[in-house]
Amino acid sequence: MKHLLEDSANLLDAAYDAGLSGPGRLHDLFVACEAVTPGEFKARGRGLTITYGFHDSPFGECLIARTDRGVCWLSFVRKGGRKPLLEELAGAWKNARIVADPAATRPLVARIYDPGRWKSDRPLPVLVKGTNFQIKVWEALLRIPVGTVVSYEDVALYIGFPKAVRAVGNAVGKNPVSFVIPCHRVVRKTAEFGNYGGGPARKKAMLGWEASLAARP
């Protein structure tokens, strides 16, 4: 982890410069991120139907939710079971109609967890709801190359708010589409893993899995 962080100060800029031939942009190209409008943000999902399902993943059971415009939620089941995740989803989209439909969300599992399906010509649509600052942070996370990590300070510097490290940490923690928007690739500058909503063991597993992908010829 320390070795990966040594050259991370300009890692995000390098990811931008890599071009389509650069493997570092694989995850970025896999996702098409759209933010809700200010009016939609205020409406808190009014008039929106969200379908959800619980599914197995390489990192344990997860809750995936989607709208007609894309995936709007992905979180992992923790010790409290499924109920807290549903409450978090409902709290984020208070006025939306939320319907269980695992058949509708099941096809997303392979798209998300199978790198062979990460295609730039058919990116996975993602719909996020957050403040302008949060969205700026989440978009920056999509630039972190697969198999690498950056610090919270790196992200703050990259988005042009070098003193807003704590705010960056809060935004990373509020990422509504875990793994797809790779908040697990952000660690403390001391090389500690830091907090992760799905738990530190899951974060470690994700980073190890991605390191193996990056090592492939």
Side-chain angles (χ1 to χ4, degrees):
M1 192 73 70
K2 290 180 179 179
H3 176 71
L4 287 173
L5 280 171
E6 286 178 358
D7 299 318
S8 67
N10 295 313
L11 187 60
L12 292 171
D13 287 322
Y16 256 129
D17 296 336
L20 295 180
S21 62
R25 291 195 62 196
L26 179 61
H27 205 95
D28 170 32
L29 293 170
F30 158 60
V31 177
C33 188
E34 177 187 356
V36 301
T37 66
E40 290 171 331
F41 184 96
K42 186 176 181 180
R44 304 290 295 273
R46 185 177 294 111
L48 192 68
T49 297
I50 296 174
T51 57
Y52 74 86
F54 285 91
H55 303 280
D56 291 332
S57 83
F59 312 108
E61 188 179 33
C62 65
L63 168 63
I64 300 176
R66 62 176 293 277
T67 72
D68 289 339
R69 290 159 61 187
V71 178
C72 65
W73 191 269
L74 197 162
S75 57
F76 293 92
V77 175
R78 302 182 291 273
K79 289 183 179 180
R82 293 179 171 184
K83 185 178 178 181
L85 300 191
L86 289 174
E87 291 174 348
E88 290 173 11
L89 172 62
W93 299 90
K94 285 189 175 180
N95 297 321
R97 177 173 172 261
I98 300 177
V99 181
D101 189 354
T105 53
R106 186 171 293 110
L108 295 170
V109 178
R111 292 263 341 251
I112 291 171
Y113 297 111
D114 181 0
R117 300 193 184 191
W118 295 357
K119 304 295 184 181
S120 61
D121 59 348
R122 190 169 170 262
L124 178 74
V126 169
L127 179 68
V128 294
K129 181 173 68 67
T131 66
N132 289 341
F133 183 85
Q134 288 172 336
I135 291 166
K136 187 182 290 286
V137 170
W138 299 337
E139 289 176 339
L141 301 185
L142 290 170
R143 306 292 184 178
I144 305 173
V146 173
T148 60
V149 295
V150 301
S151 69
Y152 296 96
E153 286 81 1
D154 292 332
V155 176
L157 181 65
Y158 176 74
I159 65 173
F161 295 91
K163 295 183 179 180
V165 178
R166 185 180 296 273
V168 165
N170 289 335
V172 170
K174 292 183 180 297
N175 169 26
V177 193
S178 185
F179 183 76
V180 174
I181 297 177
C183 55
H184 56 281
R185 296 180 195 160
V186 186
V187 300
R188 294 173 180 167
K189 65 179 179 180
T190 57
E192 297 175 5
F193 279 94
N195 296 327
Y196 185 67
R202 183 171 278 121
K203 181 173 184 175
K204 185 176 181 180
M206 289 178 178
L207 292 175
W209 184 76
E210 290 187 339
S212 68
L213 292 180
R216 293 177 183 177

